[in-house]
Each structure stands twice: as C-alpha cells, then as structure tokens.
Amino acid sequence: MRMFLEHVRAHSPGKPETARRYEQVLEHFQRHLGNKKYAEAITRAHIDDYKIKRSQELSERHGRRIAPRTINFEVSTLRTFFYYLINERGIPMTNPCAHFKPLKDEKNKAHRKPPTYSQKELDLLFAACDDFEKTVFAALLLTGLRKRELYYLAWIDVDLGKQTILVTPKPEEG
C-alpha cells in the first residue's frame, strides 16, 4: 500500500487531497479484508462483500450510512490500486474490481437531465401565473439559472449589451 501511495504522490504532486482520499480508502479496505496477506488472494467476491459491509457502516463525519456514490468511488480507487499492482509492480493477477457493478444511487437521479415541457404545458403554467411569477419562471426557463442563483442575482450581474449574466456564489452571510 505504501508504494502505491508514494506512486500517487509522485505522479500527482499537485493533488494532495487525492492521495489522502486514496489512503483512507485503502485503510477501509484493509480493515474489512485485512486477513488477506496477498493481493492475489482477493477475489471479486471479496469486493462484493466489501461493498455490502461499507454500505452498512455509518459515516464518521455525517452519522448516516455510507452513500452508494462513495462506495462506488472507493471500488474505483481499489481498481486503480490493483491495476498499479498488475501494471507497475508486475504482480500476475486478475483485477478483482475490473468489471464491478456500481451500486445504485438515488441521489444520482438528481443529476439526470431535467424534464422538458411541451408548449401546451408551458402555456398552462404561465396562464396560472401573475406577472411577477411569469417573470421568475421565464427567467428560470430561458437562462437555466437555478432558483437560488436567480434569488441572488443583482443588476450588476446582468450585461444587457453583451446579453450575459454573471452567476456568482451566494454572498457570505455576516
């Protein structure tokens, strides 16, 4: 493990967070499968067991179960680790993470393409709105701004000449 982490640090010197996160993943993995002395002894079944065990654990930071996307990231990191052993260290083995099936993540649904509305649906929506609501919905629809981005939009962010809107982070609350 140490050689892999040194390899990551050497090849990604500007990404210390990546090395730190990889180290955490390897620590979790070793905690669950520490009885295996040789990497070659780890099988696809061990990786599946690891995913199941991790999904039942609580996050130390948040106090809730480990999210599927976190476990998928961890298995992806393990896949990188095993490829390092195979390709850089010449260990003759099959990568047990090579074709892993990602866990389904309900939150990932939020990142899917938003629904599109027919002109009839839009006409019904706008017909039920007052002038202010029409303005808000039209701005959201035509610009792609999120609700909070529109909420914090100021005239200084709008350049009518260039037909641009500058989207800035939420102002610091003081």
Side-chain angles (χ1 to χ4, degrees):
M1 276 188 358
R2 289 285 154 230
M3 288 189 300
F4 171 67
L5 294 171
E6 289 171 11
H7 175 82
V8 170
R9 287 183 185 103
H11 286 85
S12 301
K15 298 182 177 182
E17 186 61 23
T18 298
R20 186 192 69 74
R21 188 67 180 110
Y22 280 17
E23 186 171 14
Q24 283 181 329
V25 171
L26 292 172
E27 287 171 0
H28 292 308
F29 188 64
Q30 190 172 31
R31 180 170 43 89
H32 284 288
L33 298 170
N35 60 340
K36 303 292 176 219
K37 292 184 179 180
Y38 301 102
E40 301 94 316
I42 297 170
T43 65
R44 172 81 182 244
H46 292 116
I47 301 302
D48 286 336
D49 290 345
Y50 173 78
K51 291 189 311 187
I52 292 166
K53 288 176 185 175
R54 282 293 283 154
S55 68
Q56 295 169 350
E57 289 183 348
L58 296 180
S59 165
E60 291 177 15
R61 187 192 310 173
H62 305 294
R64 59 180 180 255
R65 289 191 183 234
I66 305 295
R69 70 183 170 280
T70 299
I71 296 166
N72 292 338
F73 167 79
E74 290 177 357
V75 175
S76 176
T77 299
L78 293 171
R79 182 177 54 216
T80 301
F81 170 67
F82 285 110
Y83 277 134
Y84 164 80
L85 294 176
I86 294 165
N87 298 324
E88 301 293 327
R89 292 291 166 197
I91 296 177
M93 63 179 291
T94 302
N95 191 330
C97 302
H99 303 286
F100 83 96
K101 183 178 179 181
L103 296 175
K104 293 193 188 262
D105 187 355
E106 291 300 316
K107 284 194 174 182
N108 252 356
K109 288 184 179 180
H111 298 293
R112 290 184 183 161
K113 185 178 175 185
T116 55
Y117 301 100
S118 68
Q119 189 59 50
K120 183 178 177 181
E121 291 170 319
L122 291 173
D123 291 343
L124 288 171
L125 173 71
F126 284 110
C129 295
D130 62 28
D131 287 342
F132 177 77
E133 292 168 331
K134 285 179 187 177
T135 303
V136 169
F137 287 130
L140 293 170
L141 179 69
L142 297 172
T143 64
L145 288 170
R146 294 180 180 97
K147 186 170 57 172
R148 299 296 284 177
E149 291 169 341
L150 181 61
Y151 179 81
Y152 286 106
L153 189 65
W155 277 112
I156 197 167
D157 300 323
V158 179
D159 187 333
L160 295 174
K162 292 182 182 176
Q163 297 181 347
T164 60
I165 296 175
L166 177 66
V167 180
T168 56
K170 178 174 85 169
E172 294 297 320
E173 296 178 18

